Structures are given as structure tokens and as C-alpha cells.
Amino acid sequence: MNSRAKKTAIVVGAGLGGIAAAALLAKRGHAVTLFEKNDYAGGRCATVTHRGFRFDVGATLFLMPESFRALFTELGERMEDHLELTRVDPASEVHFHDGTSIKLTGDLLGLREETERFERGSFPHAMDYLRLGHDCYHRSLEALINRDFRHWYQFFTPKNIALFLRVKAFSDLYRIAAHHFTDPRLRAAFSYHSLYVGLNPYGASGMYTMLPALEIIEGLYYPKGGMASIARALLSIAEKNGVRFKPNTPVERIAVANGKASGVQTNSGVTNADIVVVNADAPYAYKKLLGEKIRPLKYSCSAYTFYWGINGRLDGLTNQHNVFVAKDYRKELVTVFNRNAFAPEGHFYLNLPSRTDPKAAPKGKDTIMVIVPCGHTVTKQHRDWEKEQAAARSWVLKRLSGYGVANLEKRIVHETAYTPKDWESFGNLTGGAVFGSLNHSLMQMGYFRMHNRHRRYRNLFFVGGSTAPGSGLPMVLIGARLAVKRIDEEMN
């Protein structure tokens, strides 16, 4: 880049999308300042430690390592020089109310044994289901995911409509699973994955068959040192390229003048820039930082989250990634998603990072993270957050009582817990919607998701899970690359 094209840029928020955008802009020669309200970088891709227990705050594993490699390559780096990845296999173990469980493994012989235990003759149907999802992912990658849709007619092309029909986008995920399996446990095990993006399997697009397919066929990965190692690596590269990182500096508003974003206001005054990129939750940014109204949106669910350090180990759990399915699969999902409420005996996710990285917990002890989905906070209902949190805690402890540690509650030596309201304030997440704020219904995908550039201010851009292409670490990194590409086109 020549000196004539060099510009000043501000990035608001050092989540993974913000760090990636800052690093990419700096690599292009721009003078970049990265503002962050917390004292660390990474947002929900952060790690907290306490006396040898290491907790991943938000994301615990990731899919699509090629999206990470593509970013590092664009930054002139090798991913392998910065991240040591381990494939987690089985990708998950799904535990049912009757005491049975299934391990979803990429070892196809093992997967055959697992599925056939529940339903004789089900393995060929499982493979058909995974082929459908795998095909959906690879066809969608260039047609839908790696695309910056600026006009509706770019999204609704004959080719894309044919793709939607091919991958059963207009059917729901559970219905497709039910078409392939008879046993309700297999139906649950192969459809719960839409919870990752804050969607009810009974309403999620059939396109999300790609999630179990990606987990099982292409793999789930965990970086040595925890998820924050990704943020640390990218921040190190960003700073090497000249990014000025300013932690403990919350942005109060985006300054606007002469029909463009002129900079940002912090408690120390206004900092001006030619380019402003916002990595804050987009609905929050529009309402709080710009003072603008936005169209009605549908939000993903929130969660009660527990971080426990325990004496002893949950020896009954051998896998890092565990999903506990409620007795009444549909009823509990309806409570969370249709009623936007709390299901007292609902589904939950449990992460045991020491199963993959022994340094995540002291020897002979366990680090446990539990996520209990619940309705978001954008509601007129009165909800007693502390009462719901206590009920969620009791339910999880009761469900875990048979997994290898007697008197589990008494063995907790460290505990941190977040309610939906905590998530709302911690990450400025609208509704405390911890799975990426906006849900991923068909009418909030592609062109219909919040765009990566402001409709009027042509130098104001957005990255993060609430913007296109969507939430989840790989999508956030792809979104940062798309936004910077647009900056290249429009600001030079």
C-alpha cells in the first residue's frame, strides 16, 4: 500500500472479529487503534484461571480450522507457528435421561457400533444424514458463507434457490433427523447442534445438518492453552504490524459529522479516524453508540453458565464435549425458545477441558464449565434470575450425581456463575443472547442479517457474530475478512 492510501482506523471492541479486522487493516498499512472496555483482549474467547483451574469463558471448541488458517495466511503467518491444535474425538458424547449415551465419533467403525446400539440398521441412515450435511456445507461455503451480500438479488439467485431446495433449507432440522432415525435418542443426538447458534432444532433450517456433519467428519478442535490462545496469537500479530491496543477504554459513542463516522468518544475525549470498525454487538452498537432505531430482530437464547473447580474427577465422563438431553426433548425446547423462559429440568452442555489438555486442571481435580440454555432478557415477563440460577445449578448437580464424584456440591472449591443479565452487561450482548445475539433463522441469514457496513455512513463498518455471515468463531473470522475486503474497495 502506498503512503497516499494510508488511513487512520479505529476498531471498537477486541473480540476475535475486532482483533482480526485490526490486524488485517494494519497489515495493509493503515494506522490502527483498537479500543477495548475490558482489561484483556478476546471478548468471550477468553480464559480465566484460579489456582490451577483454567476456564474458557465462552467458546470451548471450534469447527472449520481452514477459516483460521486462511486468516493467518492473509496476515503473512503460518497458523501452526501460533496454535497447537488437537482434534477432539469423539466430537461429543450425548447423555440421555435413561442413563444411556452415544459417542459421536469420526471413527466410522466406532460410529457404526454407537448408532446400531440404539437402532438396528441405523448406520446407513446416519451416513446419509451426514452426507447431506457435508454436501450442504461445501456447497454453501462459497455460495452463501464467504459472500458479502449487498443486494437482495445477489442472495436470491436461481442457483441459490436451487441450493436451498437441495439442502432442505425450508424443512426443519429435527424433521430431517426424524426422517433418518426412528429412535428418539438418535433424533436428539443428531439434531441438538442448532443450539450452538441459539436455534430450536424444531424450527432451525435444515441447512444446519452441516453442524453435526462438520463435527463428526471434519472434526472439532481445541487449542493448547485454551481458547484465549487464539486471541493472544492474533493480538500479537496485530501489534507486530503496528496496532495500538488500548484496554480499559470503553467507547461511549461513535462520533458522526458531515455524513460519516468521524471517530469515537471515550472518557478521555474524541479520537478521530478515517475508518471506524465496530466489533460490539451490532444491535447494541446501533442503539447505544449511534442512538439509532433498528428493525425488529429475533434474538438467540441466553444461558445460565457455571464455572466449577472441583476436588476429584468426574471419572464417569471421559470426553471433553458433553451434552445432556432432557427427558422431554421437545417440551424443554419449547419452554426456552417459544415461551422465552427457563426450563427447570432442561438440556445442558458440559465442558471438561482437562480431557484434552491435562494442564486445564490441577492433578486429580477437574475444571468444569456448564451452559444451561434459557430465554433471553428481551421480554416483558418478570423473571427471578437468582431463583432460576439456583434451580439450574441444583438440576445440573442432581443430573451429574452418578458420574464419579460423591457429594459433588461439597467438592466445589471454586465457583463463578453468570446469569443472562450478567451476559448482557459483561459483553454488551442484547438480551444476554450469548450464542451470538441474533439467531440464525432464514430471514436473518445472508442478505437479511445485519450488514457489515452502515447504510448511510460509508466509512463505518461492523464485524462480529451479529453481522453476516453469522456467529461462531469461524464465521466471525470470515466476517472480518469480508468487512476488510469491502474497506479495501470503498475506502481507497
Side-chain angles (χ1 to χ4, degrees):
M1 175 175 292
N2 59 47
S3 59
R4 191 175 180 182
K6 184 175 181 179
K7 299 182 184 297
T8 56
I10 286 172
V11 179
V12 180
L16 220 57
I19 304 171
L24 289 166
L25 288 169
K27 182 69 175 177
R28 286 156 166 76
H30 298 303
V32 183
T33 304
L34 175 59
F35 290 94
E36 169 55 45
K37 76 183 187 76
N38 296 310
D39 60 0
Y40 61 89
R44 283 167 286 155
C45 190
T47 297
V48 175
T49 58
H50 178 82
R51 296 185 178 181
F53 297 103
R54 190 186 72 220
F55 303 93
D56 293 309
V57 173
T60 56
L61 298 158
F62 66 86
L63 299 163
M64 300 168 59
E66 67 274 12
S67 64
F68 291 76
R69 183 173 287 105
L71 174 63
F72 279 97
T73 299
E74 189 169 345
L75 290 169
E77 305 281 341
R78 293 178 68 253
M79 181 179 74
E80 292 77 9
D81 293 336
H82 297 274
L83 299 176
E84 184 178 333
L85 303 183
T86 299
R87 179 170 178 172
V88 176
D89 190 67
S92 60
E93 184 169 1
V94 185
H95 305 265
F96 305 106
H97 69 281
D98 61 0
T100 60
S101 68
I102 183 171
K103 294 181 179 180
L104 300 180
T105 173
D107 174 359
L108 295 185
L109 290 177
L111 185 63
R112 178 173 186 161
E113 291 180 8
E114 291 290 299
T115 56
E116 293 285 335
R117 282 195 298 112
F118 290 88
E119 181 181 323
R120 188 174 180 180
S122 62
F123 180 66
H125 301 299
M127 292 307 298
D128 287 343
Y129 185 83
L130 294 176
R131 274 191 288 269
L132 174 66
H134 199 247
D135 179 65
C136 175
Y137 169 67
H138 284 283
R139 290 179 182 275
S140 300
L141 192 60
E142 291 306 318
L144 301 173
I145 297 172
N146 283 315
R147 291 288 307 276
D148 175 16
F149 294 104
R150 304 179 193 181
H151 305 283
W152 67 266
Y153 52 80
Q154 295 174 325
F155 186 62
F156 283 117
T157 63
K159 185 176 180 180
N160 281 352
I161 292 171
L163 173 61
F164 294 146
L165 294 173
R166 179 186 178 102
V167 301
K168 305 184 187 301
F170 303 111
S171 184
D172 69 58
L173 181 61
Y174 185 83
R175 184 178 301 174
I176 297 173
H179 177 73
H180 286 79
F181 306 106
T182 300
D183 192 292
R185 293 167 297 182
L186 289 182
R187 291 175 174 183
F190 282 88
S191 67
Y192 79 84
H193 301 75
S194 64
L195 292 172
Y196 296 160
V197 290
L199 281 177
N200 183 346
Y202 287 90
S205 167
M207 294 183 71
Y208 291 107
T209 54
M210 72 170 69
L211 294 177
L214 280 170
E215 271 198 6
I216 295 169
I217 297 173
E218 302 205 0
L220 267 179
Y221 291 85
Y222 188 69
K224 182 178 180 180
M227 298 297 288
S229 61
I230 304 169
R232 287 194 296 268
L234 289 175
L235 182 62
S236 174
I237 295 168
E239 291 182 320
K240 183 176 75 172
N241 282 293
V243 172
R244 293 175 60 228
F245 177 48
K246 301 190 76 171
N248 298 309
T249 311
V251 168
E252 298 169 357
R253 69 179 179 90
I254 296 169
V256 175
N258 301 317
K260 65 178 183 178
S262 57
V264 299
Q265 169 96 43
T266 66
N267 58 10
S268 59
V270 174
T271 303
N272 295 314
D274 301 311
I275 302 164
V276 177
V277 180
V278 180
N279 184 214
D281 176 50
Y284 168 87
Y286 271 92
K287 289 186 281 188
K288 301 295 185 181
L289 301 183
L290 286 166
E292 296 184 10
K293 291 183 178 181
I294 57 174
R295 62 183 171 89
L297 297 165
K298 293 183 178 181
Y299 297 96
S300 68
C301 62
S302 188
Y304 290 96
T305 314
F306 302 94
Y307 306 88
W308 294 329
I310 67 166
N311 282 327
R313 287 172 59 87
L314 287 173
D315 289 329
L317 296 175
T318 58
N319 199 57
Q320 177 177 350
H321 192 204
N322 298 272
V323 176
F324 288 78
V325 175
K327 183 177 181 179
D328 192 326
Y329 186 61
R330 181 168 193 150
K331 177 184 174 182
E332 306 304 331
L333 290 168
V334 166
T335 299
V336 171
F337 291 97
N338 295 31
R339 294 175 49 210
N340 193 40
F342 166 66
E345 295 188 354
H347 317 287
F348 64 88
Y349 163 74
L350 185 145
N351 180 52
L352 288 166
S354 61
R355 298 299 182 270
T356 302
D357 184 352
K359 291 185 178 180
K363 187 175 181 179
K365 302 182 180 183
D366 258 337
T367 293
I368 302 172
M369 177 205 192
V370 177
I371 301 173
V372 184
C374 66
H376 56 67
T377 68
V378 184
T379 177
K380 294 181 180 179
Q381 303 175 47
H382 171 73
R383 291 173 61 187
D384 187 328
W385 307 107
E386 291 184 3
K387 184 178 179 180
E388 289 185 7
Q389 182 182 55
R393 184 179 189 272
S394 294
W395 167 238
V396 171
L397 290 170
K398 179 181 178 181
R399 189 84 190 267
L400 294 179
S401 60
Y403 284 89
V405 176
N407 302 313
L408 178 57
E409 183 172 18
K410 294 181 179 179
R411 291 177 179 265
I412 297 173
V413 295
H414 171 78
E415 179 170 16
T416 299
Y418 292 156
T419 70
K421 281 292 186 182
D422 294 326
W423 282 114
E424 190 173 43
S425 59
F426 167 70
N428 291 333
L429 293 171
T430 305
V434 71
F435 296 95
S437 182
L438 302 186
N439 76 21
H440 285 71
S441 60
L442 278 175
M443 294 308 294
Q444 288 187 167
M445 288 172 53
Y447 172 76
F448 297 106
R449 202 161 183 84
M450 298 189 82
H451 292 200
N452 61 21
R453 199 206 70 194
H454 193 276
R455 57 188 177 275
R456 293 196 310 276
Y457 310 134
R458 300 179 67 85
N459 67 329
L460 176 57
F461 300 85
F462 299 88
V463 296
S466 49
T467 61
S471 62
L473 300 187
M475 298 296 185
V476 165
L477 297 185
I478 291 170
R481 296 179 66 209
L482 291 173
V484 172
K485 182 179 179 181
R486 188 165 187 176
I487 292 171
D488 289 342
E489 296 172 6
E490 300 194 8
M491 299 301 298
N492 288 326

